[in-house]
Amino acid sequence: MEKYVCPCGYVYDPALGDEETGVAPGTSWENVPEDWVCPVCGLGKDAFEQE
């Protein structure tokens, strides 16, 4: 699965998810809720770029 990078440097890794915000490990980028934001800087999914 592809990783996605926020301009602030945070990397969303589908294998790890983001458990602190309720995104379970194994959640693909397409299945991350549209209202999810970067846990570091608060930018939305549209700010992320595929790594």
Side-chain angles (χ1 to χ4, degrees), residues 20-34:
E20 288 186 19
T21 62
V23 179
T27 302
S28 68
W29 183 247
E30 294 76 23
N31 291 328
V32 172
E34 289 303 315

Side-chain angles (χ1 to χ4, degrees), residues 10-51:
Y10 173 81
V11 177
Y12 176 78
D13 182 343
L16 302 176
D18 183 27
E19 291 193 273
E20 288 186 19
T21 62
V23 179
T27 302
S28 68
W29 183 247
E30 294 76 23
N31 291 328
V32 172
E34 289 303 315
D35 61 353
W36 179 84
V37 296
C38 176
V40 175
C41 72
L43 287 175
K45 282 180 68 177
D46 60 341
F48 282 69
E49 292 192 13
Q50 190 171 349
E51 185 174 69

